Amino acid sequence: LTELAKLHEVIPQYENSKELYSFCEQGRELVQRQLDLERKDRERQQIEQQIATVVDSCKMKLNDKGSVDETRHCLAPAMELDPEHHLIIEMVHTATMHEEEKKFLAKQKEDEDQRAKRGNAHFKKAQDLRKNGELAKAEAEYEKYIETPYPKNYNNKESARRELAAVRQELKTKVSSLLEQCKSLGGKGHFRDAYIACDKASKENPANEQAKQSKGEMLGEL
């Protein structure tokens, strides 16, 4: 091209010099495009290597335990080069999944702890009813507590089963004693006192049909 330019300074057109000049121009453009492609390819490979180095360093540093913000902060140099690079997107996505999993597990643990606390409170309620002498209500609460699947309450459940058996026995003994008093007093004609005894037995265990029946009989006698 330089030689042809010199030629054209002397002779503007010599045989096929114009066509040759155009051909050389095209050749130079092709060479330049090829050089540009090679340069871009070298730059791309260099960027790929830089990104891969940053990603590998972050993986070793965070060990898949970093939050999304920590991961983005660590990957900042690579994101400046190519924020949409697949290695960056993959690592951020992994951090997002781990963060969501941690939140889910934390929420799950919190819910489990709350249900365990409710279970402990339920067990104490049944015990308090027993202490207050409300045996029928205590029996119902013990049964309800045992049937409810509270977490972290295995030991309490075992204690509740034993205490429930004791409550049932206490209730049975107490109601039987009151019914005996009711019958004995009724047999002696003390219907008012007999009615009171049967009424107490019925209140102790509202589900006891014998107590209801005896109470009705003493009321009829009165």
Side-chain angles (χ1 to χ4, degrees):
L1 284 170
T2 301
E3 295 303 316
L4 286 170
K6 291 178 182 178
L7 172 64
H8 291 154
E9 287 178 1
V10 179
I11 304 174
Q13 184 170 352
Y14 179 78
E15 294 183 356
N16 62 342
S17 62
K18 290 291 185 181
E19 290 81 357
L20 183 59
Y21 190 88
S22 176
F23 178 77
C24 290
E25 280 283 1
Q26 293 176 13
R28 183 174 65 176
E29 289 177 2
L30 286 172
V31 170
Q32 188 59 49
R33 281 201 294 270
Q34 182 62 33
L35 291 173
D36 289 341
L37 287 173
E38 291 175 356
R39 176 181 56 78
K40 289 178 180 179
D41 187 59
R42 285 194 302 273
E43 290 175 353
R44 182 184 60 78
Q45 290 180 8
Q46 185 177 6
I47 289 173
E48 285 283 341
Q49 184 59 47
Q50 290 175 331
I51 291 174
T53 300
V54 173
V55 169
D56 289 341
S57 174
C58 289
K59 284 183 177 180
M60 291 182 63
K61 180 181 178 181
L62 300 175
N63 195 24
D64 285 339
K65 294 181 180 178
S67 65
V68 174
D69 289 340
E70 290 172 337
T71 301
R72 288 184 179 278
H73 179 72
C74 185
L75 291 173
M79 295 178 76
E80 289 179 2
L81 298 172
D82 183 3
E84 300 299 322
H85 193 277
H86 69 93
L87 291 177
I88 296 173
I89 292 175
E90 180 182 343
M91 191 167 178
V92 172
H93 176 72
T94 300
T96 302
M97 295 297 292
H98 286 169
E99 196 168 273
E100 289 178 356
E101 184 181 7
K102 287 178 183 177
K103 289 179 180 177
F104 173 78
L105 292 174
K107 182 66 169 58
Q108 193 176 47
K109 184 180 183 302
E110 182 182 353
D111 292 343
E112 186 178 55
D113 290 343
Q114 289 296 325
R115 287 190 291 123
K117 288 180 181 178
R118 288 197 295 270
N120 292 331
H122 195 171
F123 180 49
K124 187 176 183 304
K125 179 182 177 181
Q127 290 180 317
D128 289 342
L129 287 169
R130 182 188 181 189
K131 289 176 183 177
N132 294 334
E134 300 179 70
L135 300 178
K137 291 182 179 179
E139 180 184 19
E141 285 302 325
Y142 274 118
E143 289 174 347
K144 185 177 178 182
Y145 169 73
I146 292 169
E147 291 172 359
T148 305
Y150 292 116
K152 302 179 181 179
N153 270 241
Y154 177 77
N155 291 334
N156 284 349
K157 288 288 180 79
E158 290 300 310
S159 298
R161 290 185 181 92
R162 291 192 297 270
E163 292 175 23
L164 174 59
V167 166
R168 285 172 174 167
Q169 186 59 46
E170 290 175 32
L171 183 60
K172 181 179 178 181
T173 301
K174 193 171 184 179
V175 171
S176 296
S177 177
L178 289 168
L179 285 176
E180 285 297 325
Q181 291 180 34
C182 177
K183 290 178 182 180
S184 176
L185 291 168
K188 296 176 182 178
H190 303 303
F191 299 118
R192 180 178 178 278
D193 292 334
Y195 173 80
I196 292 173
C198 282
D199 185 52
K200 287 181 179 179
S202 181
K203 287 179 179 177
E204 282 293 336
N205 188 2
N208 191 301
E209 294 297 329
Q210 186 179 355
K212 292 179 183 178
Q213 183 179 351
S214 298
K215 177 183 173 182
E217 289 174 0
M218 293 305 107
L219 182 60
E221 292 294 344
L222 280 172

